[in-house]
Amino acid sequence: MTKLGAGQTITVNKALIDAYQAASSPHSIRALKSDLEAFDLWCRRSHRASLPATPELVADYLDARAGKGAKPASLGRYKASIAKIHQLLDLKDPTQTELVKLRLRAIRREKGTAQTQARPLRFKGAVRDVEREAPRGLNVRALLEACPDDLPGRRDRALLSVAYDTGLRAAELVAIAVEHLLEALDPEARLLSIPRSKGDQEGEGATAFLSPRSVCAIMAWTQAAAISSGPLFRRVQVRRYKARLAVKGRRIESISARETWDLRKTLPRPAIAARTEYDVGDQALHPGSIGPIWRSIIQRAFDRGALADLTADDLARLLKGISAHSTRVGLNQDLFASGEDLAGIMDALRWKSPRMPLAYNRNLAAEAGAAGRLLGKLK
């Protein structure tokens, strides 16, 4: 029980809190904790009590976050987190008042509700015909070919290939274990068991297809890293040692009295070649590492000349839009460009609603739609 001002008290229902934690994903719990800590800090700095919050307090907080650049989608999440903590503490929910709804609607009207979309990583880049056209621009095929055959390169090739094949989100991608790989009708392919995903919090499970390309990349990675069970994609620590020239042993009389006396100085040392050592971790990669890995792969491919039709300015512009979601957006767009219908795309990417796949395909749909087809014929 916690006492508040004006004689108010809050009674914490431990059973309810425990039930919420058991029913929620770790990501949801982390998000709620982060949102509430930010809200409480703002309230302290404003010299106002965060619990129970008044409608005016919540509205002012949303306005303040909007003024700092928060997007409408983020504001909606902050509002939901404030509502959730009030529900868990059996307090009146201040977010359901007309004041909060109208202030949030005003922010959305002013800023718009469009979300920044991750730049797609398509298999052949921005092509109309995904089967016949040659790759161009930023494309997954060039990135895969540019991955080196050292241990980090083999992991990155397998990681990128699997990410594109499955369209998995970052948290789902790093959760893959060797045990999730299943046999397919095609002996060179595999099926991937997906025990849980963002849209499947109750663990109903799903299955994705892994191409022979991905299977070869996985085998090359697991064999080199000696991984036979547990997390498939892991951290690789790299230690590089410089070459050392051979050293002749010194004559004993050359050792001065002013330096440390050590007979080992008289022994010759052979030349040592430069070498690189790798240490593969036991734990899965962190979801936050996926976006930086994609950007590293792209930069490396550019440096090797694998993206010859891109300039340095092109690369800098493209890298700003790359995120862990880029492979999911890219697969979504390639499915659309190949003629798959919305139902097939939703099934392949395990969408529960058509809103996001349609949003990801907005630009392609404009080009392939009636107006785009007509204007493309006019010369």
Side-chain angles (χ1 to χ4, degrees), residues 358-376:
L358 288 174
Y360 287 160
N361 289 331
R362 185 185 302 127
N363 292 344
L364 287 180
E367 191 170 347
R373 291 194 299 271
L374 170 63
L375 297 176

Side-chain angles (χ1 to χ4, degrees), residues 46-112:
S46 303
H47 306 291
R48 301 163 78 174
S50 58
L51 289 174
T54 64
E56 292 77 14
L57 177 65
V58 176
D60 290 347
Y61 177 66
L62 296 178
D63 278 342
R65 293 302 298 264
K68 294 291 186 179
K71 303 294 184 182
S74 298
L75 297 177
R77 196 187 85 177
Y78 304 152
K79 172 178 170 288
S81 294
I82 295 171
K84 177 57 67 175
I85 192 60
H86 281 76
Q87 293 163 9
L88 292 174
L89 295 176
D90 199 24
L91 298 172
K92 184 178 179 180
D93 182 359
T95 69
Q96 294 303 309
T97 60
E98 197 63 20
L99 173 65
V100 173
K101 292 178 181 178
L102 289 174
R103 292 277 279 273
L104 188 55
R105 189 180 303 168
I107 294 171
R108 288 172 173 163
R109 181 180 177 83
E110 177 186 353
K111 294 181 175 293

Side-chain angles (χ1 to χ4, degrees), residues 339-358:
E340 295 293 336
D341 60 17
L342 180 59
I345 295 174
M346 289 180 62
D347 181 63
L349 286 161
R350 300 160 298 281
W351 293 109
K352 298 296 184 182
S353 163
R355 186 175 69 87
M356 289 311 297
L358 288 174

Side-chain angles (χ1 to χ4, degrees), residues 92-377:
K92 184 178 179 180
D93 182 359
T95 69
Q96 294 303 309
T97 60
E98 197 63 20
L99 173 65
V100 173
K101 292 178 181 178
L102 289 174
R103 292 277 279 273
L104 188 55
R105 189 180 303 168
I107 294 171
R108 288 172 173 163
R109 181 180 177 83
E110 177 186 353
K111 294 181 175 293
T113 58
Q115 292 180 258
T116 302
Q117 179 179 300
R119 184 169 295 279
L121 278 175
R122 297 179 59 188
F123 193 75
K124 289 188 176 181
V127 297
R128 290 172 181 259
D129 191 328
V130 296
E131 183 179 356
R132 296 178 179 83
E133 287 189 49
R136 66 185 181 91
L138 182 58
N139 65 92
V140 170
R141 193 164 86 171
L143 300 181
L144 293 174
E145 292 174 352
C147 288
D149 283 328
D150 58 10
L151 206 54
R154 292 188 179 198
R155 183 207 61 190
D156 291 351
R157 183 184 293 117
L159 183 67
L160 178 58
S161 189
V162 170
Y164 176 80
D165 279 2
T166 61
L168 289 173
R169 301 172 180 88
E172 300 159 2
L173 186 62
V174 301
I176 297 175
V178 174
E179 292 78 8
H180 297 158
L181 304 177
L182 310 174
E183 291 185 356
L185 294 178
D186 182 348
E188 296 183 350
R190 293 290 185 275
L191 297 177
L192 176 66
S193 173
I194 306 171
R196 193 180 300 274
S197 64
K198 180 180 179 180
D200 178 26
Q201 294 298 319
E202 296 183 1
E204 181 179 340
T207 305
F209 178 77
L210 293 176
S211 66
R213 162 182 35 82
S214 288
V215 174
C216 287
I218 290 171
M219 291 179 64
W221 155 242
T222 54
Q223 290 174 4
I227 296 175
S228 58
S229 63
L232 179 59
F233 299 119
R234 310 178 185 192
R235 170 195 55 81
V236 179
Q237 183 178 5
V238 182
R239 292 188 295 272
R240 293 185 172 88
Y241 299 89
K242 295 181 179 179
R244 193 173 70 185
L245 298 175
V247 178
K248 292 182 178 180
R250 295 171 58 182
R251 295 175 62 84
I252 193 168
E253 60 268 22
S254 71
I255 303 177
S256 169
R258 288 175 297 181
E259 59 183 295
T260 303
W261 179 262
D262 191 341
L263 282 177
R264 286 175 295 183
K265 295 179 180 180
T266 66
L267 300 176
R269 288 184 295 174
I272 298 178
R275 71 185 192 278
T276 303
E277 295 179 355
Y278 303 104
D279 179 28
V280 180
D282 297 326
Q283 303 300 313
L285 288 172
H286 189 278
S289 68
I290 301 302
I293 288 176
W294 292 169
R295 292 188 285 273
S296 175
I297 292 174
I298 294 168
Q299 183 67 59
R300 181 173 57 209
F302 179 80
D303 293 341
R304 291 185 167 209
L307 303 172
D309 52 349
L310 294 181
T311 66
D313 289 341
D314 292 333
L315 181 73
R317 174 177 53 82
L318 293 170
L319 284 175
K320 291 179 181 179
I322 295 297
S323 76
H325 229 55
S326 291
T327 45
R328 184 172 176 85
V329 179
L331 176 60
N332 197 91
Q333 292 192 358
D334 277 347
L335 288 169
F336 179 84
S338 66
E340 295 293 336
D341 60 17
L342 180 59
I345 295 174
M346 289 180 62
D347 181 63
L349 286 161
R350 300 160 298 281
W351 293 109
K352 298 296 184 182
S353 163
R355 186 175 69 87
M356 289 311 297
L358 288 174
Y360 287 160
N361 289 331
R362 185 185 302 127
N363 292 344
L364 287 180
E367 191 170 347
R373 291 194 299 271
L374 170 63
L375 297 176
K377 297 175 184 178

Side-chain angles (χ1 to χ4, degrees), residues 24-45:
S24 304
S25 69
H27 175 76
S28 297
I29 294 172
R30 285 194 300 270
L32 177 65
K33 182 174 182 292
S34 174
D35 291 347
L36 294 178
E37 286 176 347
F39 177 58
D40 184 65
L41 179 61
W42 181 85
C43 290
R44 289 175 184 272
R45 288 175 174 174

